[in-house]
Amino acid sequence: MSNIRVVAELAGVSVATVSRTLKQPESVSPKTRHRVLDAIQQAGYQPNQLAARLRSGKTHNLVVLVPTIANVFFARVISGMQQVAHEKGFTLLLSNTQADEQTECHYARMVESAAADGVIQLRAFNPFKREHVNEHQLHPMVNACEVLDEVACPTVMLDNRAAAAAMTRHLLALGHNRIALVKGPARSPLTRDRIAGYRDALNEVGINFDEQLLVAGDFSLKSGYEAAAHLLTLAERPTAIFCENDEMAMGAMQCLKKMGLRIPEDMSVAGFDDINFAEYSDPPLTTIAQPAEEFGRTAVSLLIDVLQGRVTKAAKVILPFELVIRNSTGPLHKQP
Amino acid sequence: MSNIRVVAELAGVSVATVSRTLKQPESVSPKTRHRVLDAIQQAGYQPNQLAARLRSGKTHNLVVLVPTIANVFFARVISGMQQVAHEKGFTLLLSNTQADEQTECHYARMVESAAADGVIQLRAFNPFKREHVNEHQLHPMVNACEVLDEVACPTVMLDNRAAAAAMTRHLLALGHNRIALVKGPARSPLTRDRIAGYRDALNEVGINFDEQLLVAGDFSLKSGYEAAAHLLTLAERPTAIFCENDEMAMGAMQCLKKMGLRIPEDMSVAGFDDINFAEYSDPPLTTIAQPAEEFGRTAVSLLIDVLQGRVTKAAKVILPFELVIRNSTGPLHKQP
DNA sequence: TTGAAAGCGCTAACAC
DNA sequence: GTGTTAGCGCTTTCAA
């Protein structure tokens, strides 16, 4: 691979001129510019990014910390990130962390070792060591989707509490008063907010919260299936199941159908996310649509703003949700 | 951020000793090593990767070219890549190319500009310019999943022809003799191979290939839905639909159910890939299981082997598939 | 408008 | 075992 010196020699100019031709062409006379461009062609010259980056101290790399890329929702988020990153000349370093804090810290450290400029964390965990926190300066980080409580950085989030309340109200309006909630991992603020929203809606109509109707899941199809199986063993069964994501809702539906229940006649089921499959499930799933790609796009442009000093406060961006009513939820049918 | 010189000064040694302490600790006396390590601690020193990489000429970055990350199958492949990359100290630069050749070339050029060491292409397209091809040297590239015909690089693939034949034979054995095939994008070798396998199986039992039963799709749920809708308009309907991926099969099932057909009594449906959802669809989908994560793992370790000169031939790795029979396929029921 | 030259932070060849 | 030193390829003052 040829370097800048070869090109300079070929064009009969200095290396500085070659560099300028590429970076600020207007500062070079048309004649020289032409000669240099020709020489670049001839040499098949590609500027060495490594060297340029070392010099400038900018890598144009962004680390993305995602718990599981195999999750359809996150895949869409990343898709959105990619769009903006590509547009703005950044590349995404993907890290599928399996929610492992050590791995997350490892990748976050790439910022300190100049392998990346910033990180986007899709989980509620701060991968930067406390000691390095500077009160007056933001970490080069943006937190999206599952956000931290103590925001030390800009965040992009949904009003999960309001969204869960909206779905719960929808089910209440259909006449359900025993509504189960299949939640996600217990420690997640996201799970906690959705539970809060669910309780808000119950409170509004004076229904007591029943601990039994709160079942733990892990956002997988399987855990939704198991949660539904468990709920069916209850003495006082629910008449509707609200799952904190679509995968669990689809798993739950599978279980219910296997047990011979009809959806929504015998049991209503609702999800969260509105993944592709939701519309094509049987019956099509009532859910909360989240602007997944928009999460990614916003997170990346926010991070770039932080890196370029255009954002200096830990701002919070709240993205809108939409209640999408399909056929998996329906009016309460009195049990025979 | 402190640098190697600060640490050297702090420890009262030369920069070379600091570097050695980190790279070949055994070549430094225990006493000095200790002093250096202490100084590193004290300075909060993180070696600058950019500098190390410029020096060594290795970035330890691998570009991944994926058509659509929002595709569940690819997401799993990437998941596997990530595992091995992390183990071997490489990072993945993700590029969601939407199958755009220009974008693919752009990212592949990162190798020439020293922003990455190699590329993994998940689509049948060579993103490197021909001119740069050297007969005796491999491109730093590995092609996986959808592979090129003219292999200029190592590939990781499935025997798509055999897999499609196996599925077709399964349907034939159930008594079906009008089997539709919903294919992927026409130009893909993968699509072509699967069609060939389908025809192989038909030939074996002397059934003529019927062009009408070959429907185009694009691997999306929607296209599967539409393909099924189209097939139902045929004068001589098929009794089984074999889709080239699970998403299309699920879309097709949705359409069939909407039209009041029972699966598999009125129509058998089969997919390809065995994504998570396949097991949880209604009915559970008969499909070809592909070792998605293994594709990713193999591709990355193969690429690293190429980069380190351990592989010099465009070897072909063929991964095994498995016919997974669930309830979406069943014996032919004579139409009334 | 162009060139000379100093370094970004590190590694490695060579000397002691 | 350890230090000295010459770069890796580029950008960017500073001078001309």
Side-chain angles (χ1 to χ4, degrees):
Chain A
M1 207 95 321
S2 67
N3 63 32
I4 201 170
R5 246 168 300 134
V6 173
V7 175
E9 209 157 320
L10 221 55
V13 298
S14 73
V15 293
T17 302
V18 176
S19 178
R20 283 193 204 103
T21 308
L22 259 14
K23 299 283 157 170
Q24 341 158 22
E26 70 286 354
S27 76
V28 174
S29 84
K31 212 187 290 177
T32 343
R33 198 189 308 156
H34 248 88
R35 249 184 322 144
V36 173
L37 258 18
D38 281 353
I40 287 174
Q41 273 280 303
Q42 198 183 326
Y45 172 65
Q46 285 280 113
N48 184 310
Q49 300 278 6
L50 236 30
R53 290 170 179 191
L54 171 59
R55 208 31 248 249
S56 69
K58 303 284 170 217
T59 64
H60 290 267
N61 284 159
L62 305 179
V63 172
V64 178
L65 264 25
V66 51
T68 21
I69 194 191
N71 173 302
V72 183
F73 176 73
F74 285 132
R76 283 177 58 202
V77 173
I78 292 170
S79 197
M81 288 184 185
Q82 173 70 36
Q83 271 175 40
V84 178
H86 183 61
E87 272 168 29
K88 306 209 175 179
F90 281 75
T91 55
L92 260 29
L93 292 177
L94 187 73
S95 171
N96 193 50
T97 64
Q98 311 291 3
D100 178 61
E101 302 191 351
Q102 219 178 326
T103 306
E104 292 177 331
C105 290
H106 170 83
Y107 279 92
R109 228 171 290 127
M110 293 182 77
V111 171
E112 273 130 49
S113 62
D117 296 340
V119 359
I120 296 178
Q121 164 66 300
L122 299 182
R123 212 170 66 88
F125 171 71
N126 184 351
F128 287 99
K129 303 196 174 152
R130 272 145 219 272
E131 345 155 11
H132 288 271
V133 175
N134 180 327
E135 294 290 319
H136 299 289
Q137 205 183 341
L138 293 173
H139 270 309
M141 173 165 85
V142 164
N143 194 194
C145 300
E146 254 196 65
V147 306
L148 289 165
D149 287 325
E150 310 283 319
V151 271
C153 67
T155 56
V156 187
M157 58 182 298
L158 201 82
D159 187 342
N160 282 292
R161 185 164 182 168
M167 180 61 86
T168 309
R169 275 186 216 112
H170 162 67
L171 294 168
L172 289 167
L174 290 169
H176 299 279
N177 48 30
R178 281 191 67 73
I179 302 171
L181 181 68
V182 181
K183 59 182 184 176
R187 282 186 314 175
S188 151
L190 177 149
T191 293
R192 189 206 50 205
D193 291 348
R194 292 184 188 169
I195 294 176
Y198 161 80
R199 296 186 68 159
D200 287 346
L202 294 185
N203 281 336
E204 285 164 11
V205 296
I207 293 181
N208 281 330
F209 171 71
D210 180 351
E211 188 77 47
Q212 281 202 313
L213 296 179
L214 200 60
V215 187
D218 63 5
F219 291 139
S220 70
L221 285 154
K222 184 155 178 269
S223 75
Y225 187 101
E226 288 163 358
H230 167 73
L231 287 166
L232 292 182
T233 67
L234 258 39
E236 277 190 282
R237 279 188 186 178
T239 59
I241 303 179
F242 174 21
C243 298
E244 287 196 6
N245 80 346
D246 290 347
E247 271 97 331
M248 295 196 294
M250 290 175 70
M253 288 205 289
Q254 180 73 359
C255 172
L256 298 174
K257 287 190 280 190
K258 205 171 205 166
M259 303 302 265
L261 278 78
R262 292 163 308 161
I263 303 168
E265 292 80 0
D266 301 325
M267 184 80 80
S268 283
V269 177
F272 205 113
D273 287 351
D274 196 24
I275 60 177
N276 285 336
F277 295 93
E279 191 179 344
Y280 290 88
S281 71
D282 182 30
L285 187 66
T286 291
T287 189
I288 296 284
Q290 292 201 64
E293 287 83 2
E294 189 59 26
F295 263 104
R297 283 192 293 260
T298 308
V300 168
S301 49
L302 209 50
L303 179 54
I304 293 176
D305 283 349
V306 170
L307 296 176
Q308 303 183 340
R310 284 196 298 273
V311 165
T312 50
K313 281 188 190 155
K316 196 172 269 190
V317 177
I318 296 185
L319 259 27
F321 62 84
E322 192 190 343
L323 173 61
V324 178
I325 299 173
R326 298 204 181 93
N327 303 326
S328 67
T329 52
L332 175 64
H333 285 231
K334 293 282 172 250
Q335 311 273 352
Chain B
M1 205 98 316
S2 67
N3 62 33
I4 201 170
R5 245 166 302 133
V6 173
V7 176
E9 208 158 322
L10 222 55
V13 298
S14 73
V15 293
T17 302
V18 177
S19 178
R20 281 193 205 101
T21 308
L22 259 15
K23 299 280 159 173
Q24 339 157 24
E26 70 287 354
S27 76
V28 174
S29 83
K31 211 186 292 175
T32 349
R33 198 189 311 155
H34 247 87
R35 248 182 324 140
V36 173
L37 258 18
D38 282 353
I40 286 174
Q41 272 280 304
Q42 199 182 326
Y45 172 65
Q46 286 280 112
N48 183 312
Q49 301 276 8
L50 236 30
R53 290 170 178 191
L54 171 59
R55 197 50 240 246
S56 69
K58 303 284 170 220
T59 64
H60 290 266
N61 283 160
L62 306 179
V63 172
V64 179
L65 264 24
V66 50
T68 22
I69 195 190
N71 173 302
V72 182
F73 176 74
F74 286 132
R76 282 177 58 202
V77 174
I78 292 171
S79 198
M81 289 184 185
Q82 174 69 36
Q83 272 175 38
V84 177
H86 183 62
E87 273 168 27
K88 306 207 174 179
F90 281 75
T91 55
L92 258 30
L93 292 178
L94 187 74
S95 171
N96 194 51
T97 64
Q98 312 291 1
D100 178 60
E101 301 191 350
Q102 220 178 324
T103 307
E104 293 176 332
C105 290
H106 169 83
Y107 280 93
R109 229 172 290 127
M110 293 182 77
V111 170
E112 274 130 50
S113 62
D117 296 342
V119 0
I120 297 178
Q121 165 66 301
L122 299 182
R123 212 170 66 89
F125 171 72
N126 184 350
F128 288 99
K129 304 197 174 152
R130 272 146 219 271
E131 346 153 9
H132 289 270
V133 175
N134 180 327
E135 294 292 318
H136 298 289
Q137 204 184 339
L138 293 173
H139 270 309
M141 172 165 86
V142 164
N143 194 193
C145 300
E146 253 195 66
V147 306
L148 288 165
D149 287 325
E150 309 284 318
V151 271
C153 68
T155 57
V156 188
M157 58 182 298
L158 200 82
D159 187 342
N160 282 291
R161 184 164 183 166
M167 179 60 86
T168 309
R169 275 185 216 114
H170 161 68
L171 294 168
L172 289 167
L174 290 169
H176 298 279
N177 48 30
R178 281 191 68 73
I179 303 171
L181 180 67
V182 181
K183 60 182 182 175
R187 283 187 313 176
S188 150
L190 178 148
T191 293
R192 189 206 50 206
D193 291 348
R194 292 184 189 169
I195 293 175
Y198 161 80
R199 296 186 66 160
D200 287 347
L202 294 185
N203 282 336
E204 285 164 12
V205 296
I207 293 181
N208 281 330
F209 171 71
D210 181 352
E211 186 79 44
Q212 280 202 316
L213 296 178
L214 201 59
V215 188
D218 63 5
F219 291 139
S220 70
L221 285 154
K222 185 154 176 273
S223 76
Y225 187 99
E226 287 163 359
H230 167 72
L231 287 166
L232 292 181
T233 66
L234 257 41
E236 277 191 280
R237 281 189 185 176
T239 60
I241 304 179
F242 174 21
C243 299
E244 286 195 7
N245 81 345
D246 289 348
E247 271 97 333
M248 294 197 294
M250 292 176 69
M253 288 205 289
Q254 180 72 358
C255 172
L256 298 174
K257 287 189 280 190
K258 206 171 205 167
M259 304 301 265
L261 277 79
R262 294 163 305 160
I263 304 168
E265 292 82 356
D266 302 323
M267 184 82 80
S268 283
V269 177
F272 205 112
D273 287 351
D274 197 23
I275 60 177
N276 285 335
F277 295 93
E279 192 180 344
Y280 290 89
S281 71
D282 180 31
L285 187 66
T286 291
T287 188
I288 297 284
Q290 291 201 65
E293 286 82 3
E294 188 60 26
F295 263 104
R297 283 191 293 260
T298 309
V300 168
S301 48
L302 209 51
L303 180 54
I304 293 177
D305 283 349
V306 171
L307 294 177
Q308 303 183 341
R310 283 196 298 273
V311 165
T312 50
K313 282 186 191 159
K316 195 172 273 190
V317 177
I318 295 183
L319 260 26
F321 62 85
E322 192 189 343
L323 173 61
V324 178
I325 299 173
R326 299 205 180 93
N327 303 326
S328 67
T329 52
L332 175 64
H333 285 232
K334 293 283 172 247
Q335 310 274 353

